[in-house]
Amino acid sequence: MSTVRSILVTGANQGLGMHTVHQLGASKNVLVFMGSRKLAAAEEARAKWESEIDPSSSVVPVQLDITDATSIKNAHDFIEKHLKEKNLTGLDVLINNAALGVPSFADTYAVNVIGTAAITEAIRPLMNNNGAILNISSTLGSLDWHTQRPPPPLFPAYSSSKSALNSLTLQWAIQEEEKKSGIRVISICPGFNATNLNNYTGTMSPSEGCQVMVKAALAKEGKSGVFINKDGDVKW
């Protein structure tokens, strides 16, 4: 059995995704596919910390636009070929990190829900049993929080898209349970991080916020069908 942990991170050229890849690459025995809509952006980001990648690990940029069917297919084929070249049986972890936070429902759902579902459906056949699908969500998607007063800040398109993503987490978790695949499916809130998504108004550094994502990606076991943050479980 291979000791290498193989992971795909979407939206990985900046923010939480980039820091997640950076920290995973600095870990031992990890192969990280760094998904980015613009390949050059991923290569440029990797160059800044390439010297920090552990000698036993590698970071491989891959062009991936989760709203484009051709890009998804090409990324699938590239990843499949690379895994075979490395004598790896499949992918261990998919981190659905790519996201958009704009007022437009159509644009937001195209990435946060439809695109995320599309890449997950495409990559799932490549995944090893006992792996993980990590959906990067937000407590703004919590239905429970929206029943409270005062309510959370209102961002109808973004928040509802994360509620939909959380629903997918639960349904995919049930599907994997029925398949007895051992694949965990969870939602993760990394906190309010200063990223391009919020015009860098967040109160946390993404290098800190991504740590819960890195920990979950490297974990070989754990709960499925749950919503977590760095402090534990979050109410749906």
Side-chain angles (χ1 to χ4, degrees):
M1 181 180 294
S2 171
T3 59
V4 174
R5 189 78 164 164
S6 54
I7 302 168
L8 168 61
V9 185
T10 69
N13 64 287
Q14 62 178 339
L16 283 163
M18 187 272 289
H19 284 280
T20 297
V21 172
H22 181 182
Q23 293 184 23
L24 287 171
S27 305
K28 292 185 180 299
N29 299 314
V30 177
L31 165 61
V32 194
F33 293 100
M34 187 178 189
S36 173
R37 189 168 58 86
K38 295 181 179 180
L39 184 61
E43 292 172 338
E44 182 179 345
R46 183 187 62 173
K48 295 177 181 177
W49 37 261
E50 192 162 11
S51 63
E52 299 174 39
I53 298 172
D54 190 87
S56 65
S57 298
S58 56
V59 173
V60 182
V62 54
Q63 195 283 323
L64 175 58
D65 179 349
I66 65 171
T67 67
D68 183 271
T70 300
S71 176
I72 289 174
K73 183 182 185 306
N74 290 341
H76 168 281
D77 293 348
F78 175 86
I79 291 168
E80 182 178 40
K81 180 181 178 183
H82 194 89
L83 289 169
K84 288 180 179 178
E85 289 174 350
K86 297 297 181 180
N87 295 315
L88 297 175
T89 57
L91 191 75
D92 293 308
V93 182
L94 168 62
I95 304 181
N96 283 317
N97 170 74
L100 193 63
V102 296
S104 165
F105 275 86
D107 292 343
T108 299
Y109 271 67
V111 176
N112 298 5
V113 183
I114 298 170
T116 296
I119 187 61
T120 302
E121 290 176 357
I123 293 297
R124 175 60 185 84
L126 295 180
M127 294 190 67
N128 293 321
N129 286 346
N130 302 310
I133 298 172
L134 311 180
N135 294 326
I136 308 310
S137 187
S138 168
T139 51
L140 287 173
S142 168
L143 299 180
D144 180 76
W145 193 11
H146 283 83
T147 68
Q148 300 178 27
R149 298 295 181 271
L154 299 181
F155 304 101
Y158 178 77
S159 298
S160 65
S161 76
K162 292 303 185 181
S163 299
L165 180 62
N166 288 343
S167 178
L168 288 174
T169 293
L170 291 171
Q171 294 182 66
W172 289 339
I174 293 169
Q175 289 179 341
E176 298 303 336
E177 181 182 339
E178 291 176 344
K179 293 175 185 174
K180 300 186 180 344
S181 68
I183 291 177
R184 296 176 293 116
V185 189
I186 67 174
S187 284
I188 298 176
C189 175
F192 187 36
N193 293 270
T195 67
N196 184 56
L197 187 75
N198 53 46
N199 294 316
Y200 302 96
T201 59
T203 55
M204 294 173 59
S205 165
S207 63
E208 175 189 358
C210 77
Q211 291 174 14
V212 65
M213 299 161 60
V214 173
K215 181 179 179 181
L218 294 177
K220 300 293 179 66
E221 58 184 21
K223 297 178 182 178
S224 185
V226 294
F227 188 12
I228 69 168
N229 63 15
K230 65 181 178 62
D231 299 316
D233 289 2
V234 177
K235 288 185 178 181
W236 295 103

